[in-house]
Amino acid sequence: MTDQHTYLTYDEVIRHWAKHRPENIATEQDDRKLTYTDLLELTDRAVGYFQSAGVAKGDRIAWLGKNSDLYAILFAAAARMGVVMAPIGWRLAPPEIAYIVKDTGSKILFAGEEFAETARTVAYGIDPRPAVLSEGEAWKAVRTSDRAEFDAAGPDDGILQLYTSGTTGNPKGVVLTGRNLLGLRPFGIAEELPWAEYRPTDCVLVAMPIAHIGGTGLINISFASGVRALIQAEFTPEGVLDGIESGVTQMFIVPAALQMVIQHPKAATTDFSNLRYLMYGAAPIPLELLREAVKTMPTTGFLQAYGMTETTGTIASLPPDDHTLEGNKRMRSAGKAVPGTEIAILGPDGKEVPRGEIGEIAVRSPSNTSGYWKLPEATAATIDKDGWLHTGDAAYMDDDGYLYIQDRIKDMIISGGENVYPAEVESAIYGHPAIAEVAVIGIPSEKWGEEVKACVVAKPGMEVDPNDVIAWARERVAAFKAPKTVDVIPEMPRNPSGKILRRELRAPFWEGQERQVS
């Protein structure tokens, strides 16, 4: 069947759909529609441009900007020849952007028009300095370059590098291969799961940020399945509702964004009949929000997706049949392993614990990253000798294989689907002239799932203005990482060795919660 394949390289994928669905729309953004024939030609030309610019297999390129069909083309072209694309969150502060560009060693930094000046400023301070092309310049370079012959990337060549915040304060580059991005598809096809089926007329909405697996991952799903990717520059409730009415059949969204969509006035008059499946993740969905969503979208199947950047996204899911308006025990779970993935709950000794006992979620899957870029020690601490990737999430598994997440072993905060590590924010706040000590925690938020709070101790004789601390942080880290609130406390709770006990700071805010993640 021409609509099913099990290729593990992007070169095979793009060539396949250009042959079998040449006139199908590959990408659509605003008024621009590109077919799979166009995608083949433009990626050929982009490869030609990369070669002329001295970019070869194994090199890195970067993108600074919002979601864009040009990014999708550059990513696919790079993936075909084994060049690694590193998308950078456009909301990051300039020092954070500079760190990623320097860490990747990117030879070219592509930038959306509104970020071109920032890109040039950042590049100026990096040695060797990357070339910088604005979106307009990049379109011209791609369209006017000659189509090129090249040696295609293999399944285990790196093609995507996504950055996830690190507990040491610097983000880590997660290297993903063709096998990581495409390797679970054959298992989904074999299982014939309804939500894994993509029809030629399907359309996937790409509204989540492309610097996250929830953004670029949806472009990957679209191209792998030979369907239309409707790309929106950034999430807006109106954009999502317009997209659904225009034919979106599958989408991914974080619960905080879903709440904004269904509570928008336009939702009451939107026709949701096109939308077959809505995947949500990064946080469990509150029962009341689910009820409101199902009432608003009665013909849509809801799937909770659990995963992380290091697993190339979803490795466990809660299917539509386990969602009920009345609520049930399984809806408090993160679902069970998707086909092709093994999940185990491990104790401190690395051995699997009995069902019902809490331990750390570990994953073994074709989608697991091979490691962090230039960080062998961090890689070894995350992926053990038997290939189990340790997630840092504490959970138990029931007799039916459903995961029930209890807490995060690591200190990460998830706010509106964005990952925030306390150490990173603490480093940004620590230099404030009135602050002696700082500890950052996540507290419950009805809107965002969790929000960032800073607990600070003032220097002797000094007074701390919470609004000034927030402004100070926003100058140094992205706004979503900066604290929403600041508490001034007399002293930090510590253990006998002097380590700050964040759990004690968190505890009062999480009283009455079923579990210590939102």
Side-chain angles (χ1 to χ4, degrees):
M1 295 174 61
T2 60
D3 60 342
Q4 302 290 347
H5 67 80
T6 56
Y7 298 131
L8 296 178
T9 72
Y10 252 81
D11 187 59
E12 292 171 309
V13 166
I14 301 302
R15 290 182 184 277
H16 175 90
W17 294 124
K19 178 180 179 181
H20 294 291
R21 294 183 187 170
E23 299 308 312
N24 259 39
I25 301 299
T27 64
E28 177 181 349
Q29 186 168 24
D30 301 325
D31 297 326
R32 183 165 48 228
K33 296 181 180 180
L34 301 172
T35 67
Y36 275 92
T37 296
D38 296 329
L39 184 63
L40 178 64
E41 178 182 350
L42 288 170
T43 53
D44 278 348
R45 292 185 182 278
V47 168
Y49 170 70
F50 293 154
Q51 291 178 342
S52 70
V55 177
K57 180 181 289 187
D59 287 338
R60 267 70 181 158
I61 59 174
W63 169 272
L64 174 63
K66 298 181 180 181
N67 298 355
S68 167
D69 55 350
L70 174 62
Y71 166 80
I73 291 165
L74 296 172
F75 160 66
R80 289 181 65 194
M81 68 180 294
V83 169
V84 182
M85 169 61 82
I88 302 170
W90 57 269
R91 295 195 295 170
L92 296 182
E96 296 172 303
I97 296 168
Y99 177 85
I100 293 174
V101 175
K102 185 174 182 179
D103 188 60
T104 59
S106 290
K107 289 191 172 181
I108 307 175
L109 173 56
F110 297 95
E113 295 297 337
E114 60 191 298
F115 305 101
E117 183 176 348
T118 297
R120 293 188 182 100
T121 300
V122 164
Y124 188 79
I126 296 173
D127 183 23
R129 189 184 306 173
V132 175
L133 271 73
S134 69
E135 197 160 357
E137 292 167 336
W139 270 118
K140 182 178 180 182
V142 169
R143 292 188 185 280
T144 59
S145 293
D146 293 330
R147 301 178 77 164
E149 297 293 328
F150 59 94
D151 292 328
D156 298 310
D157 289 324
I159 59 175
L160 180 64
Q161 190 160 314
L162 299 175
Y163 275 78
T164 182
S165 295
T167 55
T168 59
N170 287 326
K172 301 190 292 290
V174 179
V175 180
L176 301 175
T177 66
R179 191 183 305 278
N180 295 152
L181 286 156
L182 303 167
L184 287 179
R185 178 177 165 81
F187 296 97
I189 292 172
E191 290 285 334
E192 297 183 343
L193 299 175
W195 49 88
E197 175 193 357
Y198 287 85
R199 306 167 185 171
T201 55
D202 277 348
C203 175
V204 176
L205 178 64
V206 182
M208 295 293 100
I210 53 175
H212 294 248
I213 192 62
T216 293
L218 291 180
I219 293 173
N220 173 62
I221 288 172
S222 303
F223 288 170
S225 307
V227 301
R228 174 168 59 121
L230 177 61
I231 299 172
Q232 297 180 348
E234 59 182 309
F235 164 78
T236 64
E238 300 95 324
V240 170
L241 292 167
D242 288 343
I244 291 170
E245 285 210 316
S246 74
V248 166
T249 57
Q250 284 102 336
M251 61 180 287
F252 171 82
I253 197 168
V254 298
L258 175 61
Q259 184 173 9
M260 296 179 199
V261 170
I262 63 175
Q263 292 181 353
H264 191 276
K266 189 176 177 181
T269 58
T270 297
D271 179 2
F272 289 95
S273 61
N274 290 318
L275 187 63
R276 294 207 310 280
Y277 294 106
L278 184 148
M279 296 178 288
Y280 64 92
I285 194 164
L287 180 57
E288 287 306 314
L289 175 56
L290 175 66
R291 286 174 172 158
E292 191 176 355
V294 172
K295 183 180 178 181
T296 305
M297 310 175 186
T299 60
T300 299
F302 287 80
L303 295 102
Q304 181 180 163
Y306 167 75
M308 55 197 300
T309 305
E310 288 87 340
T311 63
T312 322
T314 306
I315 44 87
S317 67
L318 186 72
D321 289 348
D322 286 324
H323 289 75
T324 65
L325 285 177
E326 301 77 26
N328 60 67
K329 181 183 178 182
R330 284 182 174 175
M331 283 174 59
R332 296 197 297 272
S333 81
K336 55 185 179 179
V338 301
T341 291
E342 297 176 80
I343 295 179
I345 306 298
L346 305 182
D349 59 359
K351 296 180 180 179
E352 193 165 0
V353 302
R355 294 293 172 100
E357 289 192 13
I358 296 175
E360 182 180 13
I361 299 174
V363 183
R364 196 155 55 184
S365 169
S367 62
N368 281 1
T369 178
S370 59
Y372 299 109
W373 174 241
K374 297 192 296 187
L375 294 172
E377 291 183 2
T379 299
T382 300
I383 305 171
D384 67 27
K385 59 182 176 57
D386 296 318
W388 289 101
L389 188 149
H390 295 248
T391 66
D393 286 334
Y396 70 88
M397 184 183 291
D398 70 11
D399 290 337
D400 296 317
Y402 286 77
L403 294 171
Y404 292 81
I405 300 174
Q406 302 300 297
D407 205 341
R408 281 189 288 274
I409 293 171
K410 301 173 184 177
D411 288 322
M412 187 176 71
I413 300 163
I414 301 179
S415 182
E418 298 278 6
N419 295 344
V420 182
Y421 273 88
E424 188 177 13
V425 186
E426 289 164 1
S427 296
I429 294 173
Y430 189 75
H432 189 284
I435 292 176
E437 293 183 300
V438 56
V440 167
I441 59 174
I443 63 172
S445 167
E446 288 187 5
K447 183 175 184 181
W448 303 112
E450 287 182 278
E451 66 182 41
V452 180
K453 174 183 281 291
C455 300
V456 303
V457 176
K459 289 181 178 177
M462 303 287 286
E463 289 187 5
V464 175
D465 178 352
N467 290 329
D468 185 53
V469 175
I470 294 170
W472 174 277
R474 283 180 171 231
E475 291 177 0
R476 290 159 176 80
V477 293
F480 69 83
K481 298 179 184 178
K484 296 282 194 299
T485 55
V486 176
D487 286 356
V488 182
I489 60 177
E491 62 181 6
M492 292 290 175
R494 298 180 183 276
N495 67 10
S497 65
K499 183 179 179 181
I500 294 174
L501 299 173
R502 287 198 187 93
R503 184 176 294 277
E504 288 192 12
L505 293 171
R506 293 176 68 207
F509 301 98
W510 290 90
E511 285 181 0
Q513 300 284 325
E514 285 191 18
R515 53 185 177 173
Q516 296 298 297
V517 292
S518 180

